[in-house]
Structure formats: C-alpha cells, structure tokens
Amino acid sequence: MRKMVKRVGTWALSAALALSVIGLVGPLQTEAASKPKLSKSTVTFASPTAKAQTITIKNLKTSNVKSITINNDWKEWMTIKKKGKNKLVITPKRSSGDITYGVSISIQYKKPVNGYYSDYLSFKKIKIKGSSKIAIKTAADLCNIRGSSYEYHRWQYYLANDIDMTGKGVAKNPGQYGSDVFTGIYLDGKGYSIKSDTPIFHNIGGVVKNVVFDVNMNCTVSKNDAATKIWSEYAYNQTYGGLAPIIYNSGTLENCKATGSITVNLDKEVNYKLSDGTPNHMTDHNIAGLVEMNEGHNGVIKNCVSDVKITVRESNNAGNWICVGGLVAENYGYSGNNGKIIESQFSGNIQIKDSTSFVYAGGIYSWGNGEVRDCLNTGTVIAPGSSLGGGAGIGGQSGSIVERVLTTGNVDVGLHGFTVGENSAANGMLPEYKNAYYLTSKSNGFNWIGNPVEVPGTKGISDAELTDQSTFAGFDFDKVWVMGANGPELRNLPKF
C-alpha cells in the first residue's frame, strides 16, 4: 500500500511540473512573486529640451529576464532606451501638445513567473509640454510636414533656406496617409522662397507666414503637362479647378509674397474624371497669383502681396468661364461665412488674350462673396473681348464687403469688372462698398450697361487728389496706410 501511494505521489508531482512548464497551472511555490511594475507610469516633460527621465521596472528578478522589448510608435516625439537590466531612459524630442502617448514594454522570462513566461507593462501617459521648432531644409522635408502638427502637437516648422519643388508636383503629407491636406499647421518661411513649376500646396490651414512663393507655371492643356494634370485632378465640386501656388486656403496666410509667372494656353477643354472614370468638361477655370480658393469659414489672407505675371490665351472655344485673380480667384463667401483679404496688394500683370469666353478678372480677387478690406492694386489687369466686362483693379464679379480700397494701376475698370446697370446698383447686385477709390485718369469705376449711376461708398479721384491724404476718408494712416510719393501705400507688406 505504501509503495502504491508513493508511485501516485510521484506521478502527480511530475504531472504538475509538466503543466507548470506549459503554463496551464501556476508554479509549485508557496507564495506568488510580486508582479513587475513601472516606478512611474505617468511621465511629464516641461519642454522638448528637458532632461531625460529614468524609470525603474520594479519587482523584477533580472537574472531571470530573457529579453525586454520596447514598443515605441512615437520615435519622432521621444526615444526610450534600456539602461542596465531594469531601467528605461525616456528622452523627449518634440512637443506633444494636448496629445499624450502610451508605450508598452514586453518582458520575456527564462523561467515562468506566476505561471507565465512573459509580462506586459505600459506607460499610462507621456506628455511633452512646450513647442518644437523644426527646420525645413529640402523639398522632402517640406513634404514631410504633418497635418494638424501645430493644432495638436505645437510643432512650428520653419524654412532654413530656399526650397526647390520644381518637378515634384503638389506636396504630400505622410502623416495623413500620403494626403495633400495640411490643416492645423504652422509654417514660418523666414523670408525664404519655395520655388515650383506647379501648384505647391493643395489644401493648407493653420498659419503660413513669411513665405515667398516663386512660381513659373507654363501650362498648355493639349500637352497634358504637369500643371494640366494637377488642374484636372483637383477639379473642385466637379465644376472647376484651379492653378495657383496654393489651390485651397482654409487658414491664415500672412505676410507672404507671390512672384514669377503663370502662363496658360487654354487650347483644349480641361477634363476631369467623374467617380465612374468618365471624363467631364470643366466649366470654370480659376487661375490666381497666390490662392485659387480662399475658404469662407477660416480663410484669411493678410499683409500679402502678389507680383505675379499671369497670361491666359484661349483658342478653340475651350473655356466657358475664365476667372483670374491677382491674389485670389474665388474669395468664398456664403451666409456670413466669408473668406477675407486684408491689407494686401496686387502689383503684377494680368493679361487675358484672344478669349471668346466669359471672363472675370480682378487684381485682388476674381469672384466670390468674400470680404475685402484695406487693399491696394497698382498692377495691370487687362481682359478685352469678354461679353460680361473686363479686368478690374479690385474685383472681377460679386463680393459682399469691399471697404478702404484703392486702385491706381492700368486696368479696364477700377472696382468691378462684371458689366452692371442701373438695376444692378439699385438691387444689391454689387458689393457693399465703403471708402472705395479709383483713379479716373486710368479707368472708370464700373463697366456700365447704359448710363452710369452713383454707387454709394465709391469715388473716382484725380491725379492731384491721389497724393492728398485728406482725400481718403476712413483710411488709417497711422497703422495701416502711409502716404507715399505716388499715393497711399500699405505699411505692413512683406519687406523681403
């Protein structure tokens, strides 16, 4: 009987050991080992340049550790390295803003602990306060800007030198699956330029300032060149597409400058593809020196200047509507959600030639119900041949509020290019003008059908009145305007 008990006891012990090895039962010990834990699971850094912090893995028998693996998906933000056998060193690299990060740690044992060959630990929250300044030195760096980077992380990108995007198309954002949307960013150009032969950005939002957009776009539609392909790809709302350094602005564009030239040979219909792949004819063709569409909810263009030369030729009745803006093609506005152009200037040259289409052309904007305040046109806007009017110093067509503006350039008409009549002025079909001035030696204020009528808030001035500060009621000559040798000038335009 004793022999039998002994044999049964030996079998039970062997079975228990076997089950313990494969993890089905706990180890044969009288007390369970304490579970490993981090000395601190919430880690906060005062700034991206703060000193590294060392975290200890407690309750760890280091002689039984086979490996420790750190699963860090935030290598751009911080580094986490092992130190010794049971310590982790976290070094901040970039600010996290309002975002917190979680990081997991995997521990593999040589022998089971509490019945298991592995344990998993995690940091509950890692936060890096402050903001990060990130240099942009190459076109690749520019294309690696992450959307929402300032909105969520407080990353401030800046140009460290001129950037050449020639031949590279529209910048792509790897942080949003290769998209071309850069909302929630902060980019300071520091007066450096971004050069390109196609649009540089499709959709930007946040803050972009102190950038020179140096473009040399030469687009012939029949050749299906790079600019034409982008134009076709970014057809908006299946009706029109745009050519400009920035196609769509939904943020604040401040103290920026556009230079260079945009030449369009509209010798063939521009087509875009419907959702089923069927080609469709683009009806409206938006072209602008700075922004194709300034979005209504958040789009603001402030203290910017465009000195771009824009030339558009049309043949073969290829375009239904041609809309050209020195600064903006469409200044979007709807139900009070208006795009805004503030303290900005066009000093370039717009020429629309051989056109049989309807044309909207304006030094500040081409069309749209947005707002324009404290803007100056000294450039040329010539658009002969359109059945709906010509090129205007300020706006091609429509607009909600236009106040404290002046046009002194060589233009077809001073303020509003679209043909208007007495009924147009009386029935609210014109913008609400206030302190809007045009130089009578260069043009009339409006392109009238029939006899001209007085439009409230507008005034034609003579060459002598141009240099008399008292002429310009409502102009702030202390903070916004300054009287120059050839008339009022804007104080706060880019100095680079």
Side-chain angles (χ1 to χ4, degrees):
M1 188 68 174
R2 288 180 180 175
K3 289 183 180 180
M4 187 154 192
V5 170
K6 184 177 181 181
R7 287 174 183 171
V8 171
T10 302
W11 176 86
L13 177 62
S14 300
L17 288 172
L19 291 173
S20 174
V21 170
I22 63 175
L24 295 179
V25 299
L28 298 178
Q29 56 186 51
T30 57
E31 293 185 13
S34 298
K35 185 173 177 61
K37 67 177 183 178
L38 299 171
S39 60
K40 186 164 58 173
S41 62
T42 297
V43 183
T44 302
F45 294 92
S47 73
T49 58
K51 292 182 179 180
Q53 295 189 34
T54 300
I55 309 299
T56 302
I57 303 176
K58 293 184 172 183
N59 305 326
L60 186 66
K61 186 177 181 181
T62 57
S63 61
N64 189 36
V65 174
K66 183 178 181 181
S67 65
I68 296 177
T69 303
I70 303 169
N71 302 301
N72 179 16
D73 292 330
W74 316 104
K75 293 181 176 62
E76 283 183 292
W77 289 256
M78 60 190 167
T79 61
I80 302 181
K81 295 182 178 180
K82 290 178 287 185
K83 181 181 178 181
K85 295 183 177 181
N86 68 333
K87 296 183 185 298
L88 304 170
V89 179
I90 307 176
T91 304
K93 294 173 64 178
R94 293 187 182 181
S95 56
S96 64
D98 296 329
I99 304 300
T100 57
Y101 311 116
V103 175
S104 63
I105 311 298
S106 173
I107 304 171
Q108 300 294 323
Y109 298 120
K110 298 175 183 176
K111 297 179 180 179
V113 176
N114 296 333
Y116 300 97
Y117 276 89
S118 63
D119 265 311
Y120 295 91
L121 308 176
S122 64
F123 286 94
K124 182 179 179 181
K125 180 170 65 176
I126 300 176
K127 186 171 184 177
I128 307 168
K129 296 181 178 180
S131 61
S132 296
K133 297 183 184 299
I134 304 167
I136 302 297
K137 299 179 180 179
T138 66
D141 289 342
L142 187 69
C143 293
N144 282 328
I145 291 177
R146 290 182 179 269
S148 304
S149 52
Y150 185 76
E151 181 181 4
Y152 293 120
H153 303 300
R154 300 296 183 265
W155 294 358
Q156 299 180 6
Y157 292 100
Y158 68 94
L159 299 186
N161 46 251
D162 294 337
I163 304 296
D164 192 349
M165 283 285 291
T166 303
K168 296 178 174 62
V170 172
K172 298 290 185 180
N173 166 21
Q176 294 181 346
Y177 308 102
S179 80
D180 41 36
V181 178
F182 293 86
T183 56
I185 68 169
Y186 182 103
L187 174 62
D188 186 348
K190 303 286 186 181
Y192 289 110
S193 68
I194 302 175
K195 183 179 180 180
S196 184
D197 58 348
T198 58
I200 297 164
F201 291 111
H202 169 224
N203 188 327
I204 61 170
V207 176
V208 176
K209 64 181 184 179
N210 304 322
V211 178
V212 178
F213 295 97
D214 182 6
V215 294
N216 182 20
M217 297 186 210
N218 200 327
C219 170
T220 298
V221 175
S222 63
K223 292 182 179 180
N224 196 30
D225 48 46
T228 302
K229 290 177 182 177
I230 290 174
W231 202 354
S232 300
E233 179 181 354
Y234 293 111
Y236 176 77
N237 206 25
Q238 297 189 339
T239 54
Y240 61 85
L243 282 183
I246 300 166
I247 297 175
Y248 187 88
N249 173 53
S250 59
T252 298
L253 196 63
E254 185 173 0
N255 206 50
C256 291
K257 184 176 182 180
T259 64
S261 64
I262 300 174
T263 303
V264 176
N265 182 10
L266 196 61
D267 61 345
K268 184 181 178 181
E269 291 182 348
V270 181
N271 289 318
Y272 62 92
K273 291 183 179 180
L274 298 174
S275 57
D276 62 358
T278 305
N280 199 40
H281 173 51
M282 188 181 296
T283 57
D284 294 16
H285 304 79
N286 281 359
I287 303 160
L290 183 59
V291 172
E292 181 265 322
M293 179 179 178
N294 191 40
E295 190 264 341
H297 294 278
N298 301 304
V300 176
I301 296 172
K302 184 177 181 181
N303 305 135
C304 292
V305 59
S306 169
D307 192 43
V308 177
K309 180 180 180 180
I310 304 174
T311 305
V312 180
R313 290 184 179 275
E314 182 202 2
S315 57
N316 303 319
N317 296 315
N320 295 339
W321 301 84
I322 299 174
C323 308
V324 182
L327 279 161
V328 175
E330 182 186 3
N331 193 33
Y332 180 80
Y334 183 77
S335 298
N337 296 313
N338 298 328
K340 297 175 177 61
I341 307 173
I342 304 168
E343 293 184 46
S344 296
Q345 176 178 327
F346 177 62
S347 55
N349 190 312
I350 295 174
Q351 300 277 343
I352 300 177
K353 302 178 179 181
D354 306 325
S355 175
T356 58
S357 296
F358 301 132
V359 174
Y360 297 152
I364 304 303
Y365 69 101
S366 173
W367 66 290
N369 286 321
E371 302 174 14
V372 174
R373 291 183 171 89
D374 294 296
C375 288
L376 173 65
N377 172 61
T378 61
T380 297
V381 187
I382 304 296
S386 172
S387 61
L388 295 179
I394 302 299
Q397 188 264 346
S398 66
S400 62
I401 298 171
V402 177
E403 60 183 8
R404 298 185 301 275
V405 299
L406 170 64
T407 176
T408 63
N410 181 24
V411 297
D412 291 328
V413 289
L415 298 175
H416 193 271
F418 188 63
T419 51
V420 294
E422 185 176 352
N423 289 335
S424 304
N427 296 325
M429 298 177 67
L430 292 174
E432 179 184 340
Y433 289 103
K434 185 176 181 180
N435 300 322
Y437 300 92
Y438 59 95
L439 195 60
T440 56
S441 62
K442 294 293 183 66
S443 68
N444 293 320
F446 298 88
N447 191 353
W448 294 105
I449 299 175
N451 295 323
V453 299
E454 182 180 352
V455 178
T458 70
K459 182 181 179 181
I461 61 173
S462 66
D463 289 354
E465 291 175 304
L466 180 61
T467 54
D468 183 354
Q469 185 168 309
S470 65
T471 301
F472 301 95
F475 280 32
D476 184 348
F477 281 97
D478 293 325
K479 297 180 181 178
V480 178
W481 298 86
V482 61
M483 182 56 72
N486 298 310
E489 300 172 357
L490 289 166
R491 287 181 178 269
N492 304 313
L493 296 180
K495 301 298 189 292
F496 39 79

